[in-house]
Each structure stands twice: as structure tokens, then as C-alpha cells.
Coordinates of all heavy atoms in Angstrom, one line a residue:
M1356 N 277.1 -59.2 186.4 CA 276.9 -60.6 186.7 C 276.9 -61.4 185.4 O 276.3 -61.0 184.4 CB 275.5 -60.7 187.4 CG 275.3 -62.1 187.9 SD 273.7 -62.5 188.7 CE 273.1 -61.0 189.4
V1357 N 277.6 -62.5 185.5 CA 277.7 -63.4 184.3 C 276.8 -64.6 184.6 O 276.9 -65.2 185.6 CB 279.1 -63.9 184.2 CG1 279.2 -64.8 183.0 CG2 280.1 -62.7 184.0
K1358 N 275.9 -64.8 183.7 CA 274.9 -65.9 183.9 C 275.3 -67.1 183.1 O 275.6 -66.9 181.8 CB 273.5 -65.5 183.7 CG 273.0 -64.5 184.7 CD 271.5 -64.2 184.4 CE 271.0 -63.2 185.4 NZ 269.6 -62.8 185.1
E1359 N 275.3 -68.3 183.6 CA 275.6 -69.5 182.8 C 274.5 -70.4 183.2 O 273.8 -70.3 184.2 CB 276.9 -70.1 183.2 CG 278.1 -69.3 182.8 CD 279.4 -69.9 183.2 OE1 279.4 -71.1 183.6 OE2 280.4 -69.3 183.1
K1360 N 274.2 -71.4 182.3 CA 273.1 -72.3 182.5 C 273.4 -73.1 183.8 O 274.4 -73.7 184.0 CB 273.1 -73.3 181.4 CG 271.9 -74.2 181.3 CD 271.8 -74.9 180.1 CE 270.5 -75.7 180.0 NZ 270.4 -76.5 178.7
G1361 N 272.4 -72.9 184.8 CA 272.5 -73.6 186.0 C 273.3 -73.0 187.1 O 273.3 -73.4 188.3
T1362 N 274.2 -72.0 186.8 CA 275.0 -71.4 187.8 C 275.0 -69.9 187.6 O 274.7 -69.4 186.5 CB 276.5 -71.9 187.8 OG1 277.0 -71.5 186.5 CG2 276.5 -73.4 187.9
T1363 N 275.4 -69.2 188.7 CA 275.6 -67.8 188.6 C 276.9 -67.4 189.1 O 277.3 -67.9 190.2 CB 274.5 -67.0 189.5 OG1 273.2 -67.4 189.0 CG2 274.6 -65.5 189.4
Q1364 N 277.7 -66.6 188.4 CA 279.0 -66.1 188.8 C 278.9 -64.7 189.0 O 278.2 -64.0 188.2 CB 280.1 -66.4 187.8 CG 280.3 -67.9 187.5 CD 281.4 -68.1 186.5 OE1 281.8 -67.1 185.8 NE2 281.8 -69.3 186.4
I1365 N 279.4 -64.2 190.1 CA 279.4 -62.7 190.4 C 280.7 -62.1 190.0 O 281.8 -62.6 190.4 CB 279.1 -62.5 191.9 CG1 277.8 -63.1 192.3 CG2 279.2 -61.0 192.2 CD1 277.5 -63.1 193.8
A1366 N 280.6 -61.1 189.2 CA 281.8 -60.4 188.7 C 282.3 -59.5 189.7 O 281.6 -58.8 190.4 CB 281.4 -59.6 187.4
K1367 N 283.6 -59.5 189.9 CA 284.3 -58.6 190.9 C 284.8 -57.4 190.2 O 285.2 -57.5 189.0 CB 285.4 -59.3 191.6 CG 285.0 -60.4 192.6 CD 286.2 -61.0 193.3 CE 285.7 -62.0 194.3 NZ 286.9 -62.5 195.1
D1368 N 284.8 -56.3 190.9 CA 285.4 -55.1 190.4 C 286.9 -55.4 190.1 O 287.6 -55.8 191.0 CB 285.2 -53.9 191.3 CG 285.6 -52.6 190.7 OD1 286.8 -52.4 190.4 OD2 284.7 -51.7 190.6
E1369 N 287.3 -55.2 188.9 CA 288.7 -55.5 188.5 C 289.7 -54.7 189.2 O 290.8 -55.1 189.5 CB 288.9 -55.2 187.0 CG 288.1 -56.2 186.1 CD 286.7 -55.9 185.9 OE1 286.3 -54.7 186.1 OE2 285.8 -56.8 185.7
K1370 N 289.4 -53.4 189.6 CA 290.4 -52.6 190.2 C 290.5 -52.9 191.7 O 291.6 -52.9 192.3 CB 290.0 -51.1 190.1 CG 290.1 -50.6 188.6 CD 289.7 -49.2 188.5 CE 289.8 -48.7 187.0 NZ 289.4 -47.3 186.9
T1371 N 289.4 -53.1 192.4 CA 289.4 -53.3 193.9 C 289.2 -54.7 194.3 O 289.4 -55.0 195.4 CB 288.3 -52.4 194.5 OG1 287.0 -52.8 194.1 CG2 288.5 -50.9 194.2
G1372 N 288.6 -55.5 193.4 CA 288.2 -56.9 193.8 C 286.9 -57.0 194.5 O 286.5 -58.0 195.0
N1373 N 286.3 -55.8 194.7 CA 285.0 -55.7 195.5 C 283.8 -56.1 194.6 O 283.8 -55.9 193.4 CB 284.8 -54.3 196.0 CG 285.8 -53.9 197.1 OD1 286.3 -54.8 197.7 ND2 286.0 -52.7 197.2
V1374 N 282.8 -56.7 195.3 CA 281.6 -57.0 194.6 C 280.5 -56.1 195.3 O 280.5 -55.9 196.5 CB 281.2 -58.5 194.9 CG1 279.8 -58.7 194.3 CG2 282.2 -59.4 194.2
Y1375 N 279.7 -55.4 194.5 CA 278.7 -54.5 194.9 C 277.4 -55.0 194.7 O 277.2 -55.9 193.8 CB 278.9 -53.1 194.2 CG 280.2 -52.5 194.6 CD1 281.3 -52.7 193.7 CD2 280.4 -51.7 195.6 CE1 282.6 -52.2 194.0 CE2 281.6 -51.1 195.9 CZ 282.7 -51.4 195.1 OH 283.9 -50.8 195.4
E1376 N 276.4 -54.5 195.4 CA 275.0 -54.9 195.2 C 274.1 -53.7 195.0 O 274.2 -52.7 195.8 CB 274.5 -55.7 196.4 CG 273.2 -56.4 196.3 CD 272.9 -57.4 197.4 OE1 273.4 -57.3 198.5 OE2 272.1 -58.3 197.1
L1377 N 273.2 -53.8 194.1 CA 272.2 -52.8 193.9 C 271.0 -53.1 194.8 O 270.4 -54.2 194.8 CB 271.7 -52.8 192.4 CG 270.7 -51.7 192.0 CD1 271.4 -50.4 192.1 CD2 270.2 -52.0 190.6
I1378 N 270.7 -52.2 195.7 CA 269.6 -52.4 196.7 C 268.4 -51.5 196.4 O 268.5 -50.4 196.1 CB 270.1 -52.0 198.1 CG1 271.4 -52.7 198.5 CG2 269.1 -52.3 199.2 CD1 271.4 -54.2 198.6
L1379 N 267.3 -52.1 196.4 CA 266.0 -51.5 196.2 C 265.3 -51.3 197.5 O 265.2 -52.2 198.4 CB 265.0 -52.3 195.3 CG 263.6 -51.8 195.1 CD1 263.7 -50.5 194.3 CD2 262.8 -52.9 194.4
F1380 N 264.8 -50.0 197.8 CA 264.2 -49.6 199.0 C 262.7 -49.4 198.8 O 262.3 -48.9 197.8 CB 264.8 -48.3 199.6 CG 266.2 -48.6 200.1 CD1 267.3 -48.4 199.3 CD2 266.4 -49.0 201.4 CE1 268.6 -48.6 199.7 CE2 267.8 -49.2 201.8 CZ 268.8 -49.0 201.0
N1381 N 261.9 -49.8 199.8 CA 260.5 -49.6 199.7 C 260.1 -48.1 199.8 O 260.8 -47.3 200.4 CB 259.8 -50.3 200.9 CG 258.3 -50.4 200.8 OD1 257.8 -50.5 199.7 ND2 257.6 -50.2 201.9
D1382 N 259.1 -47.7 199.1 CA 258.6 -46.4 199.1 C 257.1 -46.4 199.1 O 256.5 -47.5 198.8 CB 259.2 -45.4 198.1 CG 258.8 -45.9 196.6 OD1 257.6 -46.4 196.4 OD2 259.6 -45.8 195.8
N1383 N 256.4 -45.3 199.4 CA 254.9 -45.3 199.3 C 254.5 -44.6 198.1 O 253.3 -44.1 198.0 CB 254.4 -44.6 200.6 CG 254.7 -45.4 201.8 OD1 254.6 -46.6 201.8 ND2 255.0 -44.7 202.9
V1384 N 255.3 -44.5 197.0 CA 255.0 -43.7 195.9 C 254.7 -44.6 194.6 O 253.7 -44.5 194.0 CB 256.1 -42.7 195.5 CG1 255.8 -42.0 194.2 CG2 256.4 -41.8 196.6
N1385 N 255.6 -45.5 194.4 CA 255.5 -46.4 193.2 C 254.7 -47.7 193.4 O 254.8 -48.3 194.5 CB 256.9 -46.8 192.7 CG 257.7 -45.6 192.4 OD1 257.4 -44.9 191.4 ND2 258.8 -45.3 193.1
D1386 N 253.9 -48.0 192.5 CA 253.1 -49.2 192.6 C 253.9 -50.5 192.2 O 254.9 -50.4 191.5 CB 251.7 -49.1 191.9 CG 251.9 -49.1 190.4 OD1 252.9 -49.3 189.8 OD2 250.8 -48.8 189.8
F1387 N 253.3 -51.6 192.6 CA 254.0 -52.9 192.3 C 254.3 -53.1 190.8 O 255.4 -53.5 190.4 CB 253.2 -54.1 192.8 CG 253.3 -54.3 194.3 CD1 252.3 -53.7 195.1 CD2 254.3 -55.0 194.9 CE1 252.4 -53.9 196.5 CE2 254.4 -55.2 196.2 CZ 253.4 -54.6 197.0
V1388 N 253.3 -52.9 190.0 CA 253.5 -53.1 188.5 C 254.6 -52.3 188.0 O 255.4 -52.7 187.2 CB 252.2 -52.9 187.8 CG1 252.4 -53.0 186.3 CG2 251.1 -53.8 188.2
F1389 N 254.7 -51.0 188.3 CA 255.7 -50.1 187.8 C 257.1 -50.6 188.3 O 258.0 -50.6 187.5 CB 255.5 -48.7 188.3 CG 256.6 -47.7 187.9 CD1 256.7 -47.3 186.6 CD2 257.5 -47.3 188.8 CE1 257.7 -46.4 186.2 CE2 258.6 -46.4 188.4 CZ 258.6 -46.0 187.1
V1390 N 257.2 -51.0 189.6 CA 258.5 -51.5 190.1 C 258.9 -52.8 189.4 O 260.1 -52.9 189.0 CB 258.5 -51.7 191.6 CG1 259.8 -52.3 192.1 CG2 258.2 -50.3 192.3
I1391 N 258.0 -53.7 189.3 CA 258.3 -55.0 188.6 C 258.7 -54.7 187.1 O 259.7 -55.3 186.7 CB 257.0 -55.9 188.7 CG1 256.8 -56.3 190.1 CG2 257.2 -57.1 187.7 CD1 255.5 -57.0 190.3
D1392 N 258.0 -53.9 186.4 CA 258.3 -53.6 185.0 C 259.7 -53.0 184.9 O 260.5 -53.3 184.0 CB 257.3 -52.7 184.4 CG 255.9 -53.5 184.1 OD1 255.9 -54.7 184.1 OD2 254.9 -52.8 183.9
S1393 N 260.0 -52.1 185.9 CA 261.3 -51.4 185.9 C 262.5 -52.4 186.1 O 263.5 -52.3 185.4 CB 261.4 -50.3 186.9 OG 260.5 -49.3 186.6
L1394 N 262.3 -53.3 187.0 CA 263.3 -54.3 187.3 C 263.5 -55.2 186.1 O 264.6 -55.6 185.8 CB 262.9 -55.1 188.5 CG 262.9 -54.3 189.9 CD1 262.5 -55.3 191.0 CD2 264.3 -53.8 190.2
I1395 N 262.4 -55.6 185.4 CA 262.5 -56.4 184.3 C 263.3 -55.7 183.2 O 264.2 -56.3 182.5 CB 261.1 -56.9 183.8 CG1 260.5 -57.8 184.8 CG2 261.2 -57.5 182.4 CD1 259.0 -58.1 184.5
E1396 N 262.9 -54.5 182.9 CA 263.5 -53.7 181.8 C 265.0 -53.3 182.1 O 265.8 -53.5 181.2 CB 262.7 -52.5 181.5 CG 261.3 -52.7 180.9 CD 260.5 -51.5 180.8 OE1 261.0 -50.4 180.8 OE2 259.2 -51.7 180.9
V1397 N 265.2 -52.8 183.2 CA 266.5 -52.2 183.5 C 267.5 -53.3 184.0 O 268.7 -53.3 183.5 CB 266.4 -51.1 184.6 CG1 267.8 -50.5 185.0 CG2 265.5 -50.0 184.1
C1398 N 267.1 -54.1 184.9 CA 268.0 -55.1 185.4 C 268.0 -56.5 184.7 O 268.7 -57.4 185.1 CB 267.7 -55.3 186.9 SG 267.9 -53.8 187.9
E1399 N 267.1 -56.6 183.7 CA 267.0 -57.8 182.9 C 266.7 -59.0 183.7 O 267.2 -60.1 183.5 CB 268.3 -58.0 182.1 CG 268.6 -56.8 181.2 CD 270.0 -56.9 180.5 OE1 270.7 -57.9 180.7 OE2 270.3 -56.0 179.8
L1400 N 265.8 -58.8 184.7 CA 265.3 -59.9 185.5 C 264.1 -60.6 184.8 O 263.4 -60.0 184.1 CB 264.8 -59.4 186.9 CG 265.9 -58.8 187.8 CD1 265.3 -58.3 189.0 CD2 267.1 -59.7 188.0
D1401 N 263.9 -61.9 185.2 CA 262.7 -62.5 184.6 C 261.5 -62.0 185.5 O 261.7 -61.6 186.6 CB 262.8 -64.0 184.5 CG 262.9 -64.7 185.9 OD1 262.0 -64.5 186.7 OD2 263.8 -65.5 186.0
P1402 N 260.2 -62.1 185.0 CA 259.1 -61.6 185.8 C 259.0 -62.1 187.2 O 258.6 -61.4 188.1 CB 258.0 -61.9 184.9 CG 258.5 -62.0 183.5 CD 259.9 -62.5 183.7
I1403 N 259.3 -63.4 187.3 CA 259.1 -64.0 188.7 C 260.1 -63.4 189.6 O 259.8 -63.1 190.8 CB 259.3 -65.6 188.6 CG1 258.3 -66.2 187.7 CG2 259.3 -66.2 190.0 CD1 256.9 -66.3 188.2
Q1404 N 261.4 -63.3 189.2 CA 262.4 -62.7 190.1 C 262.0 -61.2 190.5 O 262.1 -60.8 191.6 CB 263.7 -62.6 189.4 CG 264.5 -63.9 189.2 CD 265.8 -63.8 188.5 OE1 265.7 -63.2 187.4 NE2 266.9 -64.2 189.0
A1405 N 261.6 -60.5 189.5 CA 261.2 -59.1 189.7 C 260.0 -59.0 190.7 O 260.1 -58.1 191.6 CB 260.8 -58.4 188.4
E1406 N 259.1 -59.9 190.6 CA 257.9 -59.9 191.5 C 258.4 -60.3 192.9 O 258.0 -59.6 193.9 CB 256.9 -60.9 191.0 CG 255.6 -60.9 191.8 CD 254.6 -61.8 191.3 OE1 254.7 -62.3 190.2 OE2 253.6 -62.0 192.1
Q1407 N 259.2 -61.3 193.0 CA 259.7 -61.7 194.4 C 260.5 -60.5 195.0 O 260.3 -60.3 196.2 CB 260.5 -63.0 194.2 CG 259.7 -64.1 193.9 CD 260.6 -65.4 193.6 OE1 261.8 -65.3 193.4 NE2 260.0 -66.6 193.7
I1408 N 261.4 -59.9 194.3 CA 262.2 -58.8 194.9 C 261.2 -57.7 195.3 O 261.5 -57.1 196.4 CB 263.2 -58.3 193.9 CG1 264.3 -59.4 193.7 CG2 263.8 -57.0 194.3 CD1 265.3 -59.2 192.6
T1409 N 260.2 -57.4 194.5 CA 259.3 -56.3 194.9 C 258.5 -56.6 196.1 O 258.4 -55.8 197.0 CB 258.4 -56.0 193.7 OG1 259.1 -55.7 192.5 CG2 257.4 -54.9 194.0
L1410 N 258.1 -57.9 196.3 CA 257.4 -58.3 197.5 C 258.3 -58.3 198.7 O 257.8 -57.8 199.8 CB 256.7 -59.7 197.3 CG 255.6 -59.8 196.3 CD1 255.2 -61.2 196.0 CD2 254.4 -59.0 196.8
I1411 N 259.5 -58.8 198.6 CA 260.4 -58.7 199.7 C 260.7 -57.3 200.1 O 260.7 -57.0 201.3 CB 261.8 -59.5 199.3 CG1 261.5 -61.0 199.2 CG2 262.9 -59.2 200.4 CD1 262.6 -61.7 198.6
T1412 N 260.9 -56.4 199.1 CA 261.1 -55.0 199.4 C 260.0 -54.4 200.2 O 260.2 -53.7 201.1 CB 261.4 -54.3 198.1 OG1 262.6 -54.8 197.5 CG2 261.7 -52.8 198.4
H1413 N 258.8 -54.7 199.7 CA 257.6 -54.2 200.4 C 257.5 -54.7 201.9 O 257.2 -53.9 202.7 CB 256.3 -54.6 199.6 CG 255.1 -54.2 200.2 ND1 254.7 -52.9 200.2 CD2 254.1 -54.9 200.9 CE1 253.5 -52.8 200.8 NE2 253.1 -54.0 201.2
E1414 N 257.8 -56.0 202.1 CA 257.7 -56.6 203.4 C 258.8 -56.2 204.4 O 258.6 -55.9 205.5 CB 257.5 -58.1 203.3 CG 256.3 -58.6 202.7 CD 255.0 -58.2 203.4 OE1 255.1 -58.3 204.7 OE2 254.0 -57.8 202.8
K1415 N 260.0 -56.2 203.9 CA 261.2 -56.0 204.7 C 261.8 -54.6 204.6 O 262.7 -54.3 205.4 CB 262.3 -57.0 204.3 CG 261.8 -58.4 204.6 CD 262.9 -59.4 204.8 CE 262.3 -60.7 205.0 NZ 262.7 -61.3 206.3
G1416 N 261.4 -53.8 203.6 CA 261.9 -52.4 203.5 C 263.0 -52.3 202.5 O 263.3 -51.1 202.0
K1417 N 263.7 -53.3 202.2 CA 264.7 -53.3 201.2 C 265.1 -54.7 200.7 O 264.8 -55.7 201.5 CB 266.0 -52.5 201.7 CG 266.8 -53.3 202.7 CD 268.0 -52.5 203.1 CE 268.9 -53.3 204.1 NZ 270.1 -52.6 204.4
C1418 N 265.7 -54.8 199.5 CA 266.1 -56.1 199.0 C 267.2 -55.9 198.0 O 267.2 -54.9 197.2 CB 264.9 -56.8 198.4 SG 265.3 -58.5 197.8
G1419 N 268.2 -56.8 198.0 CA 269.2 -56.8 197.0 C 268.6 -57.2 195.6 O 267.8 -58.2 195.6
V1420 N 269.0 -56.5 194.6 CA 268.4 -56.8 193.3 C 269.5 -57.6 192.5 O 269.2 -58.7 192.0 CB 268.1 -55.5 192.5 CG1 267.5 -55.8 191.1 CG2 267.0 -54.7 193.3
I1421 N 270.6 -57.0 192.2 CA 271.7 -57.7 191.4 C 273.0 -57.3 192.0 O 273.2 -56.3 192.7 CB 271.6 -57.3 190.0 CG1 271.7 -55.8 189.7 CG2 270.4 -57.9 189.3 CD1 271.8 -55.4 188.3
S1422 N 274.0 -58.1 191.7 CA 275.4 -57.9 192.2 C 276.3 -57.7 191.0 O 276.0 -58.2 189.9 CB 275.9 -59.0 193.0 OG 275.2 -59.2 194.2
G1423 N 277.4 -57.0 191.2 CA 278.3 -56.8 190.1 C 279.3 -55.7 190.4 O 279.5 -55.3 191.5
T1424 N 280.1 -55.3 189.4 CA 281.1 -54.2 189.5 C 280.3 -52.9 189.6 O 279.2 -52.7 189.1 CB 282.1 -54.2 188.4 OG1 281.4 -53.9 187.2 CG2 282.7 -55.6 188.2
L1425 N 281.1 -51.9 190.0 CA 280.5 -50.5 190.0 C 280.1 -50.1 188.6 O 279.1 -49.5 188.4 CB 281.5 -49.5 190.6 CG 281.5 -49.4 192.1 CD1 282.6 -48.4 192.6 CD2 280.2 -49.0 192.7
N1426 N 281.0 -50.4 187.7 CA 280.7 -50.0 186.2 C 279.5 -50.7 185.7 O 278.8 -50.1 184.9 CB 281.9 -50.3 185.4 CG 283.1 -49.4 185.6 OD1 283.0 -48.3 186.1 ND2 284.3 -49.9 185.2
E1427 N 279.2 -51.9 186.2 CA 277.9 -52.5 185.7 C 276.7 -52.0 186.4 O 275.7 -51.9 185.8 CB 278.0 -54.0 186.0 CG 279.0 -54.8 185.2 CD 279.3 -56.2 185.8 OE1 279.0 -56.5 186.9 OE2 279.8 -57.0 184.9
L1428 N 276.8 -51.6 187.7 CA 275.7 -51.2 188.4 C 275.3 -49.7 188.3 O 274.1 -49.4 188.4 CB 275.9 -51.5 189.9 CG 276.0 -53.0 190.2 CD1 276.2 -53.2 191.7 CD2 274.9 -53.8 189.7
K1429 N 276.3 -48.9 188.1 CA 276.0 -47.4 188.0 C 275.0 -47.0 187.0 O 274.1 -46.2 187.3 CB 277.3 -46.6 187.8 CG 278.1 -46.5 189.0 CD 279.4 -45.6 188.8 CE 280.2 -45.5 190.0 NZ 281.4 -44.7 189.8
P1430 N 275.1 -47.5 185.7 CA 274.0 -47.2 184.7 C 272.6 -47.6 185.2 O 271.6 -46.9 185.0 CB 274.4 -47.9 183.4 CG 275.9 -48.2 183.6 CD 276.1 -48.4 185.1
K1431 N 272.5 -48.8 185.7 CA 271.2 -49.3 186.2 C 270.7 -48.5 187.4 O 269.5 -48.1 187.4 CB 271.3 -50.8 186.6 CG 271.6 -51.7 185.4 CD 271.9 -53.1 185.9 CE 272.3 -54.1 184.8 NZ 272.4 -53.8 183.5
Y1432 N 271.6 -48.1 188.3 CA 271.3 -47.3 189.4 C 270.7 -45.9 188.9 O 269.7 -45.5 189.3 CB 272.5 -47.0 190.3 CG 272.4 -45.9 191.3 CD1 271.8 -46.1 192.5 CD2 272.8 -44.6 190.9 CE1 271.7 -45.1 193.4 CE2 272.6 -43.5 191.8 CZ 272.1 -43.8 193.1 OH 271.9 -42.7 193.9
Q1433 N 271.4 -45.4 187.9 CA 270.9 -44.0 187.4 C 269.6 -44.1 186.7 O 268.7 -43.3 186.9 CB 272.0 -43.5 186.4 CG 271.7 -42.1 186.0 CD 271.7 -41.1 187.2 OE1 272.7 -41.1 187.9 NE2 270.6 -40.4 187.4
I1434 N 269.3 -45.2 185.9 CA 268.0 -45.3 185.3 C 266.9 -45.5 186.3 O 265.8 -44.9 186.2 CB 268.1 -46.5 184.2 CG1 269.1 -46.2 183.1 CG2 266.7 -46.8 183.7 CD1 269.4 -47.3 182.2
L1435 N 267.2 -46.4 187.3 CA 266.1 -46.6 188.3 C 265.8 -45.4 189.1 O 264.7 -45.1 189.4 CB 266.5 -47.8 189.2 CG 266.6 -49.2 188.5 CD1 267.2 -50.2 189.5 CD2 265.2 -49.6 188.1
T1436 N 266.9 -44.6 189.4 CA 266.7 -43.4 190.1 C 265.9 -42.3 189.3 O 265.0 -41.7 189.8 CB 268.1 -42.8 190.5 OG1 268.8 -43.7 191.3 CG2 267.9 -41.4 191.3
D1437 N 266.2 -42.3 188.0 CA 265.5 -41.4 187.1 C 264.0 -41.8 187.0 O 263.2 -40.9 186.7 CB 266.1 -41.4 185.7 CG 267.5 -40.8 185.6 OD1 267.9 -40.0 186.6 OD2 268.2 -41.0 184.6
R1438 N 263.7 -43.1 187.2 CA 262.3 -43.5 187.2 C 261.6 -43.2 188.5 O 260.5 -43.5 188.7 CB 262.3 -45.0 186.9 CG 262.6 -45.3 185.4 CD 262.5 -46.8 185.1 NE 262.9 -47.1 183.8 CZ 262.4 -48.1 183.1 NH1 261.5 -48.9 183.6 NH2 262.8 -48.3 181.8
G1439 N 262.4 -42.8 189.5 CA 261.7 -42.4 190.8 C 261.9 -43.5 191.8 O 261.3 -43.4 192.9
L1440 N 262.6 -44.6 191.6 CA 262.8 -45.6 192.5 C 263.9 -45.2 193.5 O 264.8 -44.5 193.1 CB 263.1 -46.9 191.9 CG 262.0 -47.5 190.9 CD1 262.5 -48.8 190.3 CD2 260.7 -47.7 191.6
T1441 N 263.9 -45.7 194.7 CA 264.9 -45.5 195.7 C 265.8 -46.7 195.7 O 265.4 -47.8 196.1 CB 264.3 -45.2 197.1 OG1 263.3 -44.2 197.0 CG2 265.3 -44.9 198.1
V1442 N 267.1 -46.4 195.3 CA 268.1 -47.5 195.2 C 269.4 -47.0 195.7 O 269.6 -45.8 195.8 CB 268.2 -48.0 193.8 CG1 267.0 -48.8 193.3 CG2 268.6 -46.9 192.8
S1443 N 270.3 -47.9 196.1 CA 271.6 -47.6 196.4 C 272.5 -48.7 196.0 O 272.1 -49.8 195.6 CB 271.8 -47.4 197.9 OG 271.7 -48.7 198.6
I1444 N 273.8 -48.4 195.9 CA 274.9 -49.4 195.6 C 275.7 -49.6 196.9 O 276.2 -48.6 197.4 CB 275.8 -49.0 194.4 CG1 274.9 -48.8 193.2 CG2 276.9 -50.0 194.2 CD1 275.7 -48.3 192.0
E1445 N 275.8 -50.8 197.4 CA 276.5 -51.0 198.6 C 277.5 -52.1 198.4 O 277.4 -53.0 197.6 CB 275.5 -51.5 199.7 CG 274.5 -50.3 200.0 CD 273.5 -50.7 201.1 OE1 273.6 -51.8 201.7 OE2 272.6 -49.9 201.3

């Protein structure tokens, strides 16, 4: 994802033209602080965004975290999975 002041542009996969989303799923293992801290560190979200995503995930069962190409999302997916979070790329 490319961030510019006041706007957000979503990067498309150069090979397929597809945009993917990293999805966080609710679990009964990880606490709010751990999930929020992980989203801040790995996905480079600001604390308010990370907290909102965590609350939405808790209430609805899942929430989109960030969008981008597969090459951008795979490393973040792997790190979050290694931390014990349940995520997918769709």
C-alpha cells in the first residue's frame, strides 16, 4: 500500500493486476494488547487503527487489516502467523 498525505492508493499485483487483503481472524488465545502491538509492529499501523481493527475482529470474527500485492503481504502474513495470530490473504 502506498500512503500519501490525505489519500491512500492500493498497489495492484504487477503480474495479475489483483489486489489482495490481509485478513485477521478472532481467536480465544491472544489478548487485545498483544494483537494491537503486533499490528502496529508488523503492519505499521498507527495505534488507533490497530485498536479499531482488533475490536472489529473481536465483534465480527474477522477484519481486513491491509491491502496490497502478494509480495507485500506474504512477509507480514508469515510474521503474524509465527506470532500465533490467525490470518489469511484473500
Side-chain angles (χ1 to χ4, degrees):
M1356 184 179 338
V1357 178
K1358 293 183 180 180
E1359 294 180 7
K1360 193 173 186 178
T1362 64
T1363 301
Q1364 295 180 349
I1365 299 174
K1367 289 186 177 182
D1368 189 297
E1369 292 80 23
K1370 293 180 182 177
T1371 64
N1373 293 334
V1374 175
Y1375 298 91
E1376 188 169 25
L1377 184 67
I1378 308 292
L1379 174 67
F1380 292 89
N1381 190 37
D1382 62 38
N1383 295 321
V1384 178
N1385 297 295
D1386 67 9
F1387 282 95
V1388 174
F1389 178 74
V1390 175
I1391 291 167
D1392 289 344
S1393 294
L1394 293 176
I1395 292 168
E1396 292 171 25
V1397 177
C1398 298
E1399 301 172 0
L1400 299 178
D1401 67 53
I1403 301 288
Q1404 287 177 307
E1406 184 177 347
Q1407 290 174 341
I1408 289 169
T1409 303
L1410 290 171
I1411 292 168
T1412 301
H1413 178 71
E1414 292 296 321
K1415 300 204 178 239
K1417 68 179 184 176
C1418 183
V1420 179
I1421 56 173
S1422 299
T1424 66
L1425 279 176
N1426 288 338
E1427 293 169 338
L1428 298 180
K1429 282 182 181 179
K1431 294 174 182 359
Y1432 167 87
Q1433 190 60 54
I1434 294 168
L1435 292 172
T1436 301
D1437 290 345
R1438 291 182 180 212
L1440 299 178
T1441 305
V1442 291
S1443 71
I1444 298 175
E1445 299 178 5

